[in-house]
Amino acid sequence: MTAFANSLSTNLTVTALVLLMVFLMPWADRKICKKLGINLQGGVSSNPKAETLLRTRQGVLYAVFGVYLLAVAYIVFFSRSATEDYQVHTALFSDLQNAVRIDYGFLGFIGALFTEGFSAFSHIEVVKAEDIAQVYMNIMLFVPMGYLLPYLFAWFRNRVRFRPAAACFVLSLATENLQLIFRRGFYDMDDLVSNTAGGIIGQFLFISVAYVVTHPDWRREVKAYRRWKRNAKTRTLYPFARRMGLTRATILAANEEEIWDFYIMKLGFRLVKQIVPLDSPGTDMLLQMGRMQMEVRCANRETSLPPQMLTLTVRRLKPVVRRLRENGIPVGEIGQDVYTGLRCVRLEGPDKVQILVIEQ
């Protein structure tokens, strides 16, 4: 009874801390950032010191994440003493089966729900409440992991319905293996399932709480997305959209030397291939930087070209602006993209090509 009381008090404490983090942190984050004039949606901030304040905010969030990781490490490893033998527990849900006794068995209980209603729960008897508390603790232990990963890192936010839960599974698998190697606790398949379930709950709470609180326009975004998805299902390319990507842009140019000097020597594109047609004075070049390719068709003669625009995306805009100015490339002031609300700058390349750099 004492062990169960200790488990119950521990679970209540952990639950209270998790709920406090889930609901209080995004609310406080939004209030503080709004008061300081910081735009959390990636747009232009009204505070001139927004860059420094955003780095401070990120540091505080990293500190919270670090404290959580230390707490998990203590609970999983350092609070336990090493055993003499390796202990492996591979039977799924055996703890829950031993902790709960059902008169008719699980399938019989499901049938009784339809015939007896809620009175069917009287046939359930809790035999070992501490085992249920242990499963609950394993779930709650990884809820912050599934919640904080997309809160802190854009890579997890980009695929928020898959990546946080997958990371929780991998981390739980690594934890169980380390426990087995150092003989601290069981290698328990139930823990693996419970931890992953906690990660799934955490990422769901991020979507339904943190994102909603920190993005006031979420209703409009969701409505627009649902409307698009409902209509797009009948369109040609929708079934293949996840495996498609736009990686190459094409621009027209008049002078090959200007292209070489600006895009290759100043911006840092790499010349992948150059084609010189035999029956034309023009030159076609394929330039690449990272995953982006740019095809340049140079006429090598005076010609009238239509207005053209090239859009680039970067993770951090301010260092890019600084490097552009250091290399003598005129660049405008940081503004806000009219379509996405994200921060952006504009500059002009050869042949009056308008280059838009957006921070994402």
Side-chain angles (χ1 to χ4, degrees):
M1 186 69 179
T2 303
F4 171 64
N6 292 336
S7 299
L8 180 62
S9 63
T10 302
N11 284 346
L12 290 175
T13 303
V14 171
T15 301
L17 291 174
V18 170
L19 292 176
L20 193 67
M21 179 202 69
V22 167
F23 293 100
L24 182 61
M25 190 173 75
W27 177 83
D29 194 11
R30 177 184 172 185
K31 289 290 184 181
I32 293 172
C33 289
K34 185 177 181 180
K35 188 172 183 179
L36 294 175
I38 301 173
N39 193 320
L40 281 178
Q41 286 75 50
V44 178
S45 300
S46 58
N47 194 324
K49 297 181 179 179
E51 290 289 332
T52 303
L53 292 173
L54 282 171
R55 285 196 295 269
T56 303
R57 169 186 175 270
Q58 198 72 5
V60 171
L61 292 176
Y62 285 151
V64 171
F65 190 56
V67 170
Y68 161 71
L69 291 179
L70 288 175
V72 171
Y74 174 77
I75 293 172
V76 172
F77 294 107
F78 302 112
S79 64
R80 305 178 180 185
S81 57
T83 58
E84 295 183 0
D85 301 321
Y86 295 100
Q87 302 181 69
V88 180
H89 186 189
T90 58
L92 280 175
F93 308 121
S94 61
D95 289 340
L96 286 178
Q97 292 174 5
N98 296 330
V100 179
R101 181 183 297 123
I102 304 176
D103 291 344
Y104 307 129
F106 180 74
L107 294 178
F109 169 73
I110 297 298
L113 279 176
F114 291 97
T115 57
E116 302 179 18
F118 287 105
S119 61
F121 286 96
S122 62
H123 299 290
I124 298 178
E125 179 184 359
V126 177
V127 180
K128 295 178 66 177
E130 58 270 19
D131 286 352
I132 299 176
Q134 182 62 36
V135 172
Y136 178 80
M137 172 63 79
N138 288 329
I139 293 174
M140 294 303 295
L141 197 63
F142 268 63
V143 169
M145 183 70 69
Y147 185 85
L148 290 173
L149 285 177
Y151 202 108
L152 269 69
F153 305 104
W155 189 80
F156 289 99
R157 287 196 298 273
N158 292 338
R159 294 290 185 274
V160 71
R161 289 183 294 179
F162 169 73
R163 287 177 178 173
C168 289
F169 172 80
V170 172
L171 185 60
S172 178
L173 183 63
T175 301
E176 295 301 317
N177 280 280
L178 288 174
Q179 284 181 324
L180 180 64
I181 292 171
F182 294 103
R183 300 195 301 275
R184 291 180 178 267
F186 286 87
Y187 181 95
D188 198 337
M189 293 297 293
D190 282 354
D191 290 355
L192 186 62
V193 175
S194 301
N195 294 158
T196 305
I200 294 173
I201 294 171
Q203 73 179 25
F204 172 76
L205 288 173
F206 169 80
I207 296 170
S208 58
V209 178
Y211 186 85
V212 168
V213 172
T214 56
H215 290 72
D217 295 332
W218 68 273
R219 287 187 177 86
R220 179 172 54 82
E221 295 174 3
V222 170
K223 286 181 180 179
Y225 174 78
R226 288 176 176 173
R227 183 168 57 250
W228 164 80
K229 191 170 184 179
R230 184 171 58 251
N231 296 328
K233 286 182 178 180
T234 60
R235 306 300 190 261
T236 304
L237 294 180
Y238 176 79
F240 316 101
R242 291 186 180 275
R243 294 182 175 86
M244 295 178 67
L246 183 62
T247 58
R248 182 182 296 180
T250 302
I251 62 173
L252 305 176
N255 191 306
E256 180 182 340
E257 293 182 359
E258 292 181 355
I259 296 298
W260 183 275
D261 178 68
F262 183 79
Y263 291 104
I264 297 177
M265 301 305 295
K266 289 185 177 180
L267 293 187
F269 278 86
R270 176 171 65 92
L271 178 63
V272 177
K273 192 169 185 178
Q274 184 171 359
I275 300 174
V276 181
L278 297 177
D279 56 347
S280 171
T283 304
D284 296 339
M285 295 186 291
L286 182 62
L287 310 181
Q288 184 167 339
M289 181 183 293
R291 296 182 178 180
M292 177 188 175
Q293 293 182 338
M294 183 170 65
E295 180 188 15
V296 184
R297 297 183 177 180
C298 297
N300 289 331
R301 59 184 176 84
E302 291 293 331
T303 182
S304 177
L305 298 175
Q308 301 177 88
M309 189 165 185
L310 183 66
T311 301
L312 308 177
T313 59
V314 296
R315 282 289 181 88
R316 294 181 59 197
L317 187 62
K318 203 166 184 179
V320 173
V321 174
R322 185 172 61 250
R323 287 294 296 264
L324 288 169
R325 289 172 177 165
E326 288 174 355
N327 286 284
I329 301 175
V331 58
E333 296 298 324
I334 295 178
Q336 190 163 304
D337 180 50
V338 295
Y339 297 106
T340 62
L342 300 175
R343 300 197 309 167
C344 65
V345 293
R346 297 177 183 272
L347 59 145
E348 186 173 280
D351 306 298
K352 296 184 179 181
V353 175
Q354 300 299 311
I355 302 176
L356 179 67
V357 185
I358 301 178
E359 183 180 62
Q360 287 188 335

